[in-house]
Amino acid sequence: MTKHEAKQRIDKLKKEIEHHRYLYHVLDKAEISDAALDSLKNELVQLEEQFPELVTSDSPTQRVGGEALSTFAKVEHQTPMLSLNDAFSEEDLQAWVERLQRLDPAAAAKLDFFVETKIDGLAMSLIYENGVLTIGATRGNGRVGEDVTHNIRTIESVPLRLRPIPGRPLPARVEVRGEVYLTKKMFAQINAQRKKNDEPLYMNPRNTAAGSIRQLDPKMAAERDLQFLAYALPTDFGQKTHKEEHELLQILGFRTDPDDRFCTSLKEVIQFYHAIAKKREKLSCQIDGIVVQVNSNALFQRFGMVGKAPRGAIAVKFPAEQATTVVEDIQVQIGRTGALTPVAHLRPVQVAGSTVSRATLHNIDEIHRLGLKIGDTVIVEKAGDIIPDIVQVLPNLRTGRERTFRMPKTCPVCGSQTTRKASEVAYYCTNSACFGQQKERFYHVVSKKAFDIDGLGPKIIDQLLETQLMSTPADIFTLKEEELLQLEGFAEKSAQNLVNAIQVARHISLARFIFALGIRHVGEQTAVMLAECFGSFKKLQQATREELEAIHDVGPAAAESLRAYFADTANQQFLEQLLPLITITAPKKIRNSKLAGKSFLFTGSLQSMTREDAKNRVRELGGTVISTVSKQLDYLVVGDEAGSKLEKAKKLGITTLTEKVFLHMIRES
Ligand code: IVH
C-alpha cells in the first residue's frame, strides 16, 4: 500500500470508528458488534504502525497512549467554573422562582425552564482547538484547575474531534463543560476486585471517579471506564436557549442527559423532580438531585450571580441518603439457621425521607472492621430501599463512656451455647429446637419464594406459636377457621380468607418446596437445580453426598448440609407429618426428547460447538449437566484429549458418547 492509499484508508477508518462511537455513546444504539469495532480499530493500529507519520492526535488509537506524567499542569479557566445554590424542597424551589420574578417582573410572564439530572461526579472543562481536543481540565478552585487531558482522552464518550454542525462554522476554540463519572456497575466491579485483593474499599463512585481522573498514568484511568456527560456549551454558537445548547452538544458528538426536558411551568419542574426521584435507583449512575435552569440564555445572563453561583439556576437535591446518629445498643437477632446477627439500635434519624432506628451489622468481623462501640456516633447510609448500613464511626465524638460489644456466649432466646465454626464468620445457636430459630423458620416457610401464603405474616405466626396452635410448620396446613377466630384481630371473613390461602398454597413446585425447608446453603437457585436433577423429593432424600456434589451449582457445603438435614431424626419426623398434607409438583419434563431427564457431562474439547453451547442445548432439551462423574451420570460426552473423567466413567460402566453421536442425539430430539 502506498502512503497515499494508507492515508485515505486511515481517514475512512477514523470516520467510521467515530461514527460508531457516536451511535453507541450519544444515541445509545449500536449498529455493529464490539468485536467488529475492535477489528476496525486493529486495522487502524496496524496501518499507523506502518506509517507512523500519519498518526494524528484525534486518532482513536491515541486514547490510551503517552507516558505517565510526574505532575499536573495548571489550567486557567477562561470563564470561572461556578457552583450551584441548593434547594431541598418544593418550597425552596417556589421561593427561587419568586425571587427571579421580583428581580425582573417583565420576564416573569414568560419564564420557562430546562431541567436535567444532577450527576454525582466531577465537573470538567474540555477545550477543542480547530475541532480537536487539546485540554481537559478539572474545576479546581473554579478559576484554576488541573490539566488531566491524558486521562480525559481515555473516555470513549468524549469525542477527540468535534463533529461539524451543518450551516454553522466551528469557532477556533470551543469549550464544553460536563461531568465525569463512574457507573454504579463499574464502581461495584472495582470494589469487588479490591476486596479480592484485600485492598481497602472505595467509599462511593464520585470519589473513585475523582481518584481515577487524578491518576498520573492514563492506563489506570482507561481501566476504570469513566463516562462523560455534557451539560453546558459556554462557547457562542448563536444559541438562544439552554435547550438549544443541549441539542448543539449532541450534534458536536457529546452525550447529554437522556432524561432532560423543557418545562413551561414550575409544576412541570416538580413533576420532573418526582419522576427522576422514582427512577433514581434504576439509573446507571449516581445522581444527587436535578438541575433547573432558566431556559432563555439572555434572561439567565440578566439574572447575574449571587456569590459563586448563577441566580438563574438551582440544584434541587434529593433527601440525604446519609445521616449521623448514635448507636444506643447492639442486640443479637437469631436467624432460621441459628446464625446470630448483631443489630445496631439507633437513635431514630431521617435518612432518604424515612426514619431509621435499626441497622444490621452483619457479623462480628464487620463490627471490628468499623471499630464500632456501643454509644458511638456513626454515619448511616441507605442504598435504595434496602436496610440501612452503618458505613463509618466518628471516633472524635467519643465521650469515654462507650462500651465494647462482644458476641454472647449463650443464645439470647433459648440460653444454649453459641459456637463459631472455623471456616465461617457467623456465630450459631447450637440448639435446633430454639424458639427464636423456629419462629424464623416459620417466617421463611410462608415467604414469597417458598409456600407464599398471603395473610400469614410474622404477627400472626407469633400469636399462633404463643397460643400453641402450631408447633411445627406442618401445623399450618391443618389450621381451622375456629382456631384462627380465637386470635386477636381475626373475624370470620379474615379467618376464611387465610384458610383459603393455605388451601391454595398446599400445591407447591418441587423447587419451592426444597427452598421452603430452609436448609442452610440451599438458596433459591440451588433448590431449582436440585429439583431439576432429581425430579422428585424422594430421590433427593435418598441422594448420597457424592451424588449431590456432582450437581452443577451444588457445592460441598450445601451437599453436607442437605445430607445432615435428611439424617436428622427431628427433620424426618417433621417431613413425615408434612408430606401427606401437601402436593408437590415435579418439574416439567420436555417430552419426546431423548435428553429429557438424562444427565450429561462433557470431557475433552468439542469440534463443532463450544462447551457452553453444548451444555445449553442439553438444558434446552430437558437434560441436566453435572460436573463430576458419579453413578448418577447417564452420558459422558467425550471430545478430543479426554482425561481422567473417561477412565472413571468406564470403571463405573457409564455410557460414553462421541461428539458425532451426541450431535446426532440432539438433532433427533
Ligand atoms: S450545571 C453553574 N448541570 O453540580 C454551574 N451541573 O453544584 C453549572 N453537576 O460543579 C452547572 N450535573 O459539576 C450542571 N446536569 C448538570 C450537572 C451539574 C452535575 C455538578 C457540576 C457543578 C455542580 C454544581
Side-chain angles (χ1 to χ4, degrees):
M1 194 182 275
T2 67
K3 189 170 161 185
H4 178 70
E5 285 164 344
K7 184 168 185 320
Q8 283 186 327
R9 181 74 182 163
I10 285 175
D11 284 346
K12 284 222 168 91
L13 284 169
K14 285 201 284 200
K15 274 218 179 85
E16 185 69 5
I17 293 167
E18 163 57 22
H19 171 66
H20 291 292
R21 182 204 71 82
Y22 185 73
L23 286 179
Y24 184 83
H25 287 282
V26 182
L27 304 182
D28 274 333
K29 59 178 183 210
E31 269 178 9
I32 64 173
S33 67
D34 288 356
L37 186 54
D38 281 345
S39 186
L40 290 177
K41 287 182 186 166
N42 253 335
E43 188 188 338
L44 183 59
V45 168
Q46 273 166 17
L47 278 177
E48 287 182 346
E49 264 169 16
Q50 230 177 312
F51 299 96
E53 63 275 28
L54 296 179
V55 179
T56 58
S57 71
D58 67 343
S59 168
T61 60
Q62 301 304 299
R63 285 194 182 270
V64 200
E67 293 295 299
L69 305 180
S70 51
T71 54
F72 297 108
K74 298 278 178 240
V75 176
E76 195 166 333
H77 300 302
Q78 267 194 357
T79 52
M81 289 184 77
L82 305 173
S83 55
L84 290 172
N85 284 325
D86 291 333
F88 293 96
S89 62
E90 284 176 26
E91 291 80 57
D92 288 355
L93 195 54
Q94 181 77 40
W96 170 69
V97 173
E98 282 164 14
R99 236 175 297 134
L100 295 181
Q101 285 167 338
R102 275 199 303 277
L103 267 163
D104 194 338
K110 46 183 189 314
L111 208 55
D112 45 28
F113 309 94
F114 196 77
V115 291
E116 59 198 296
T117 53
K118 185 169 188 297
I119 296 178
D120 204 8
L122 52 149
M124 203 60 60
S125 155
L126 309 183
I127 307 296
Y128 289 82
E129 283 168 292
N130 300 318
V132 178
L133 175 70
T134 49
I135 299 173
T138 62
R139 177 172 182 272
N141 62 10
R143 279 192 318 103
V144 179
E146 280 177 328
D147 185 339
V148 289
T149 317
H150 63 303
N151 289 332
I152 293 297
R153 300 178 68 84
T154 68
I155 305 177
E156 287 264 349
S157 33
V158 170
L160 297 175
R161 172 184 281 279
L162 297 175
R163 300 164 70 91
I165 301 182
R168 291 196 212 200
L170 200 65
R173 185 182 185 281
V174 173
E175 182 176 6
V176 170
R177 289 181 182 176
E179 201 82 351
V180 165
Y181 64 95
L182 262 182
T183 60
K184 293 181 204 165
K185 196 168 154 198
M186 194 61 206
F187 173 69
Q189 268 175 26
I190 292 170
N191 259 352
Q193 189 57 44
R194 288 183 75 83
K195 195 168 176 189
K196 246 196 203 155
N197 300 347
D198 250 342
E199 291 164 325
L201 300 189
Y202 289 123
M203 282 283 286
N204 56 46
R206 198 199 115 79
N207 290 358
T208 316
S212 310
I213 262 306
R214 292 198 79 262
Q215 294 288 338
L216 290 162
D217 185 351
K219 284 189 198 72
M220 297 281 283
E223 274 169 23
R224 295 288 168 82
D225 192 22
L226 294 161
Q227 309 289 322
F228 180 78
L229 193 112
Y231 54 63
L233 182 59
T235 306
D236 185 11
F237 277 81
Q239 67 270 36
K240 299 263 182 303
T241 65
H242 200 63
K243 180 170 183 279
E244 208 184 325
E245 201 158 309
H246 271 239
E247 286 158 5
L248 289 171
L249 283 167
Q250 277 219 15
I251 301 173
L252 288 168
F254 294 92
R255 183 182 178 80
T256 55
D257 180 7
D259 288 311
D260 62 15
R261 223 172 92 188
F262 168 67
C263 295
T264 52
S265 69
L266 192 60
K267 193 171 153 217
E268 275 179 42
V269 172
I270 291 168
Q271 274 170 357
F272 177 79
Y273 173 81
H274 289 301
I276 294 296
K278 205 166 157 197
K279 69 187 273 192
R280 183 180 182 190
E281 295 311 324
K282 291 198 203 86
L283 295 177
S284 67
C285 63
Q286 258 193 7
I287 60 170
D288 56 355
I290 62 165
V291 176
V292 187
Q293 299 200 41
V294 169
N295 192 41
S296 149
N297 285 355
L299 261 179
F300 185 89
Q301 290 303 330
R302 190 128 40 95
F303 285 131
M305 307 264 300
V306 254
K308 284 190 176 165
R311 274 204 191 84
I314 196 159
V316 194
K317 296 289 194 68
F318 292 132
E321 296 246 301
Q322 281 198 344
T324 58
T325 188
V326 172
V327 173
E328 293 179 326
D329 197 6
I330 298 177
Q331 287 184 13
V332 166
Q333 239 177 31
I334 181 138
R336 67 185 153 82
T337 60
L340 303 180
T341 307
V343 176
H345 290 229
L346 308 169
R347 182 174 297 164
V349 63
Q350 286 281 119
V351 189
S354 65
T355 307
V356 166
S357 54
R358 299 276 153 92
T360 172
L361 291 163
H362 306 287
N363 53 56
I364 191 75
D365 286 7
E366 175 69 2
I367 296 178
H368 292 154
R369 189 187 71 77
L370 288 164
L372 175 67
K373 292 180 169 194
I374 298 168
D376 267 337
T377 301
V378 294
I379 299 176
V380 286
E381 183 177 279
K382 228 172 116 175
D385 296 322
I386 316 163
I387 312 154
D389 257 322
I390 292 180
V391 291
Q392 204 180 327
V393 171
L394 301 174
N396 292 337
L397 297 176
R398 279 184 181 154
T399 61
R401 283 189 303 254
E402 292 73 19
R403 290 177 291 128
T404 302
F405 168 82
R406 290 204 174 73
M407 282 306 264
K409 293 204 165 60
T410 57
C411 169
V413 178
C414 72
S416 313
Q417 285 273 313
T418 61
T419 58
R420 184 182 202 179
K421 287 192 195 142
S423 60
E424 288 185 42
V425 287
Y427 280 76
Y428 285 92
C429 161
T430 48
N431 169 20
S432 66
C434 165
F435 188 60
Q437 289 184 46
Q438 243 185 23
K439 269 203 323 203
E440 293 293 330
R441 279 200 288 271
F442 269 93
Y443 301 159
H444 175 75
V445 166
V446 302
S447 66
K448 272 247 154 329
K449 291 173 179 171
F451 275 96
D452 187 19
I453 304 178
D454 242 3
L456 193 53
K459 261 199 194 138
I460 300 168
I461 290 178
D462 288 0
Q463 281 191 63
L464 288 165
L465 287 172
E466 276 151 26
T467 52
Q468 296 187 338
L469 281 169
M470 296 196 306
S471 63
T472 84
D475 298 330
I476 294 172
F477 298 97
T478 55
L479 275 175
K480 295 185 182 59
E481 271 176 53
E482 308 88 83
E483 289 170 326
L484 289 172
L485 283 170
Q486 295 169 32
L487 303 182
E488 208 179 293
F490 267 101
E492 226 154 82
K493 184 82 193 141
S494 49
Q496 212 174 45
N497 285 347
L498 182 51
V499 169
N500 285 343
I502 292 169
Q503 191 57 35
V504 173
R506 228 181 265 282
H507 299 266
I508 188 168
S509 74
L510 180 56
R512 274 171 173 271
F513 179 64
I514 297 169
F515 176 70
L517 295 176
I519 301 168
R520 196 186 295 174
H521 303 299
V522 181
E524 205 187 349
Q525 188 51 38
T526 306
V528 169
M529 287 302 296
L530 289 168
E532 279 177 8
C533 289
F534 290 95
S536 83
F537 189 62
K538 196 161 203 136
K539 280 199 187 139
L540 174 64
Q541 271 177 302
Q542 291 164 348
T544 65
R545 199 181 141 156
E546 243 199 344
E547 285 169 340
L548 289 165
E549 264 189 55
I551 295 167
H552 182 71
D553 269 1
V554 178
E560 170 51 26
S561 174
L562 280 155
R563 195 206 52 77
Y565 181 90
F566 291 121
D568 183 285
T569 43
N571 290 335
Q572 288 168 0
Q573 276 170 15
F574 162 63
L575 288 171
E576 256 168 53
Q577 191 192 350
L578 175 64
L579 289 171
L581 300 170
I582 61 172
T583 318
I584 302 173
T585 45
K588 277 198 200 81
K589 285 264 154 56
I590 300 172
R591 257 186 249 140
N592 305 329
S593 156
K594 279 193 186 154
L595 283 72
K598 300 286 187 217
S599 60
F600 288 77
L601 177 63
F602 294 87
T603 182
S605 52
L606 301 177
Q607 296 304 314
S608 56
M609 60 173 86
T610 67
R611 176 91 57 104
E612 265 330 290
D613 286 341
K615 287 180 179 177
N616 285 338
R617 280 304 284 151
V618 168
R619 292 189 186 114
E620 279 164 20
L621 292 167
T624 55
V625 180
I626 62 180
S627 60
T628 51
V629 179
S630 76
K631 272 186 296 180
Q632 229 218 314
L633 177 63
D634 292 308
Y635 298 111
L636 181 73
V637 182
V638 185
D640 289 348
E641 287 170 48
S644 59
K645 282 180 189 157
L646 180 57
E647 279 164 40
K648 195 170 171 197
K650 276 184 181 159
K651 261 189 215 148
L652 292 175
I654 283 156
T655 313
T656 59
L657 307 174
T658 62
E659 182 172 351
K660 213 171 149 190
V661 176
F662 171 69
L663 285 178
H664 185 70
M665 200 167 174
I666 52 179
R667 243 179 261 129
E668 293 273 283
S669 289

